[in-house]
Amino acid sequence: NAGVTQTPKFQVLKTGQSMTLQCAQDMNHEYMSWYRQDPGMGLRLIHYSVGAGITDQGEVPNGYNVSRSTTEDFPLRLLSAAPSQTSVYFCASQGDDEQFFGPGTRLTVL
Amino acid sequence: AQSVTQLDSQVPVFEEAPVELRCNYSSSVSVYLFWYVQYPNQGLQLLLKYLSGSTLVKGINGFEAEFNKSQTSFHLRKPSVHISDTAEYFCAVSDIWGSQGNLIFGKGTKLSVKP
């Protein structure tokens, strides 16, 4: 049982490049979400999913896309990276009464 | 709309002293409250949660929190801190739990324990 895994751990992009942050969980949870963490801002919800085929926007969705084709995977796509997307990204998977967080992806956009 | 305010961005304290990290929330409906801890360069780990029942909640690592509905607070306490408690602590609230709950986080409190 690996919990929530995220890849890559670190990534540097140039402005305008695209990339996908991967997230997977092996706990058969229906609910998954993506947060970004910026200094002094706490964590802010980007997108979430209540099950395969169902996604919705959170507080800060602009510039990001998600899809949920399987229960296990919930990738986050940056279509055209901007310096404002420099952040640490956390994926989370929710059980009965607890959210489990992945280790994070530290993204820098130059 | 829900919101969470962590009243202190940084709290310095000496080892073996007591500590209280303050959290106030606003919500128009039922609330579910959480405290998470983040050690440097790591993800978030759940310390404790209030879903229902007793207003005094005990968590891991000797931490506890008290839900006070009249004061809309959920302060985190520990009677004697250790150097290893140095970390950032986040209070979070949700008004729907189960499979569709979204967490709203506070901006965090950095606890620095000095020898």
Side-chain angles (χ1 to χ4, degrees):
Chain A
N1 188 337
V4 180
T5 58
Q6 291 183 239
T7 56
K9 287 188 176 181
F10 302 93
Q11 183 70 49
V12 179
L13 291 178
K14 294 181 179 179
T15 297
Q17 287 184 314
S18 63
M19 79 159 295
T20 299
L21 280 63
Q22 301 292 344
C23 174
Q25 53 95 4
D26 60 359
M27 297 172 281
N28 202 34
H29 291 160
E30 293 293 331
Y31 182 91
M32 296 182 72
S33 53
W34 276 101
Y35 294 87
R36 61 177 288 173
Q37 182 181 24
D38 302 291
M41 299 293 290
L43 278 77
R44 292 179 291 169
L45 184 67
I46 304 172
H47 285 284
Y48 65 97
S49 168
V50 299
I54 306 170
T55 63
D56 206 347
Q57 297 180 351
E59 181 185 355
V60 289
N62 292 341
Y64 307 95
N65 271 1
V66 292
S67 60
R68 185 93 179 272
S69 56
T70 67
T71 300
E72 294 77 20
D73 300 298
F74 190 42
L76 178 71
R77 296 184 186 85
L78 282 70
L79 304 175
S80 178
S84 61
Q85 294 178 303
T86 293
S87 187
V88 181
Y89 292 85
F90 289 100
C91 177
S93 168
Q94 185 170 312
D96 289 341
D97 60 5
E98 180 177 348
Q99 284 210 18
F100 297 89
F101 284 83
T105 295
R106 187 174 295 272
L107 176 68
T108 301
V109 183
L110 303 175
Chain B
Q2 301 170 89
S3 66
V4 176
T5 302
Q6 291 184 242
L7 297 161
D8 305 294
S9 60
Q10 297 188 51
V11 173
V13 64
F14 286 105
E15 193 174 18
E16 298 184 6
V19 70
E20 179 180 79
L21 306 184
R22 297 180 292 169
C23 173
N24 285 90
Y25 68 90
S26 67
S27 176
S28 59
V29 294
S30 300
V31 290
Y32 306 94
L33 294 156
F34 307 82
W35 275 100
Y36 285 86
V37 61
Q38 184 180 35
Y39 298 103
N41 299 313
Q42 294 189 26
L44 277 74
Q45 179 182 4
L46 182 68
L47 269 179
L48 50 79
K49 57 183 180 280
Y50 171 79
L51 302 180
S52 65
S54 174
T55 57
L56 182 62
V57 180
K58 294 189 182 297
I60 62 172
N61 301 340
F63 284 94
E64 64 180 31
E66 186 161 15
F67 171 56
N68 188 319
K69 188 173 183 179
S70 63
Q71 296 187 7
T72 61
S73 68
F74 190 56
H75 300 334
L76 181 70
R77 301 185 182 98
K78 186 170 182 178
S80 177
V81 294
H82 301 288
I83 298 287
S84 59
D85 293 322
T86 294
E88 190 161 18
Y89 293 79
F90 293 94
C91 182
V93 64
S94 175
D95 62 358
I96 303 172
W97 200 239
S99 63
Q100 298 185 36
N102 290 330
L103 289 175
I104 304 298
F105 283 88
K107 294 184 178 181
T109 297
K110 290 184 178 178
L111 175 65
S112 175
V113 181
K114 304 177 185 302

